[in-house]
Amino acid sequence: MKICVFGASGYVGASVYQLLKKPDGVDVSGTTLEDAPLFEELDILDINEPESFSDYFKRENPDVVIWLVQGGPEEHSLTTQGLMHVITFLRPETKLIYISTDLVFSGGKGPYKEEDPISSLPDDHALRHYTNAKVKAERYIENELTNYVILRAGPTYGENLIGKLDERTDKLAYHLRTGKEISYRDDLIRTFVHVEDFANVIVEMAQNDLTGVFHAGPDVQQSFYTFMQGMAEQQGFDGNFVQKAPEEEEPDTEVPKNTSLFTDKIKNKVNQTFR
Ligand SMILES: NC(=O)c1ccc[n+]([C@@H]2O[C@H](COP(=O)([O-])OP(=O)(O)OC[C@H]3O[C@@H](n4cnc5c(N)ncnc54)[C@H](OP(=O)(O)O)[C@@H]3O)[C@@H](O)[C@H]2O)c1
């Protein structure tokens, strides 16, 4: 079995790539946009660039494609160009694992089940780039393909397999080490997922026969404030240095309040558990 990991140098992608690369693992190849010194064998590829994408894909001819690409403000072109290239080149028997986000539930009235409707944000909304690109991508995939998994997750945390922490925890630790307070919103509710559990379930999905939409993560739904206070204490800091952030916001910057996920479906289908 040949598996291609797009975004193998990223926070989640590096763990997925590392797991697949084990000596007893499958035949895997991975891509990065920039040179990634940790995995020098990765192919440097701009997924939006049709010719280099086409050369790479034809050469690798994968049985499974894992989408772990993320582009910040460029997320829209990753969907309208990069994902379109992938969809155009997929054979019917090639499985696409598309990693999506809880933010496709931009109405923020969770917890949400897999079958609940997803929605875009208005065109003038500050958070539209990522959310709307992910909504568009999910719709493309559901319309065009049958052999796919859309795996949605909330904020991912913890140390990945190459020792990199998520940016939020890194910032928390930096503040607390220097004796500074840091604040998080108590009205934003999420399903937080550990990067190791997330990477393991992605690898499991790449090698099983499941298709469809799944939510990854534990049963627990927490606010950023509660979750980060717990993270501070777990790392040996005084949780009192974690404060509640103000909740006032303008309509065009309003963050979806509760995008937490029901995760019963995946729990009954995969071996991986979520801490
Ligand atoms: N992190 C989270 O909390 C979270 C939560 C839910 C869902 N997700 C989803 O999980 C996936 C991975 O997220 P992440 O946090 O691991 O992302 P990340 O650390 O930002 O990594 C993004 C990856 O995409 C690559 N990339 C960016 N633009 C590209 C392009 N034009 N062509 C080819 N590759 C490109 C990057 O390459 P370089 O390293 O060379 O720049 C990197 O390998 C994303 O699809 C994201 O939406 C993440």
Side-chain angles (χ1 to χ4, degrees):
M1 179 191 271
K2 178 70 183 262
I3 302 183
C4 284
V5 181
F6 288 104
S9 54
Y11 170 57
V12 184
S15 286
V16 169
Y17 182 72
Q18 188 86 321
L19 286 170
L20 287 167
K21 215 175 61 140
K22 282 183 177 164
D24 57 345
V26 291
D27 186 7
V28 58
S29 79
T31 75
T32 173
L33 179 62
E34 311 284 344
D35 211 352
L38 282 162
F39 303 121
E40 55 188 27
E41 72 276 19
L42 294 185
D43 285 271
I44 299 172
L45 171 84
D46 183 345
I47 207 164
N48 290 342
E49 217 288 309
E51 275 178 29
S52 53
F53 176 83
S54 148
D55 291 347
Y56 172 80
F57 206 86
K58 283 182 188 152
R59 190 183 71 231
E60 299 300 325
N61 192 23
D63 303 295
V64 180
V65 170
I66 308 180
W67 177 278
L68 281 153
V69 181
Q70 181 162 270
E74 303 308 319
E75 196 70 31
H76 183 256
S77 60
L78 282 179
T79 296
T80 55
Q81 297 171 40
L83 184 65
M84 281 298 101
H85 297 150
V86 173
I87 289 179
T88 309
F89 278 84
L90 285 180
R91 291 175 282 121
E93 61 274 23
T94 312
K95 182 173 181 178
L96 172 67
I97 315 268
Y98 180 81
I99 307 307
S100 191
T101 166
D102 59 340
L103 292 172
V104 295
F105 295 116
S106 66
K109 295 193 167 67
Y112 289 99
K113 292 185 177 155
E114 281 81 354
E115 61 272 24
D116 287 331
I118 59 175
S119 59
S120 306
L121 289 167
D123 287 345
D124 59 349
H125 196 287
L127 305 175
R128 68 189 179 284
H129 296 292
Y130 183 64
T131 296
N132 295 359
K134 288 294 201 187
V135 168
K136 195 172 217 165
E138 286 202 16
R139 290 186 174 144
Y140 273 148
I141 292 166
E142 289 192 306
N143 285 335
E144 300 293 329
L145 302 177
T146 50
N147 195 6
Y148 68 86
V149 165
I150 292 174
L151 194 57
R152 297 186 189 126
T156 304
Y157 70 94
E159 195 173 294
N160 74 2
L161 277 178
I162 56 162
K164 185 175 189 294
L165 264 184
D166 60 293
E167 280 173 19
R168 197 174 296 107
T169 310
D170 217 15
K171 189 171 166 197
L172 170 84
Y174 171 77
H175 267 72
L176 299 183
R177 262 199 311 271
T178 48
K180 290 185 198 139
E181 289 185 347
I182 185 164
S183 47
Y184 298 93
R185 300 263 298 264
D186 197 29
D187 61 333
L188 305 181
I189 312 296
R190 303 288 183 262
T191 298
F192 295 87
V193 58
H194 195 283
V195 64
E196 199 179 313
D197 302 339
F198 194 30
N200 281 332
V201 84
I202 293 169
V203 168
E204 193 178 334
M205 286 290 194
Q207 294 174 93
N208 66 22
D209 292 332
L210 292 173
T211 56
V213 182
F214 293 89
H215 289 171
D219 279 338
V220 194
Q221 296 142 15
Q222 285 175 287
S223 72
F224 276 101
Y225 166 68
T226 310
F227 179 77
M228 294 311 285
Q229 200 170 43
M231 287 295 281
E233 283 165 6
Q234 231 180 61
Q235 296 189 19
F237 295 109
D238 179 354
N240 291 321
F241 278 86
V242 176
Q243 300 285 313
K244 286 187 189 175
E247 294 171 8
E248 303 85 51
E249 52 193 358
E250 298 298 318
D252 62 353
T253 58
E254 202 178 330
V255 184
K257 297 288 172 294
N258 183 345
T259 58
S260 64
L261 304 170
F262 280 118
T263 55
D264 282 355
K265 182 177 171 187
I266 204 166
K267 229 176 12 194
N268 298 323
K269 300 271 188 196
V270 299
N271 299 320
Q272 180 61 36
T273 54
F274 295 94
R275 66 196 78 176

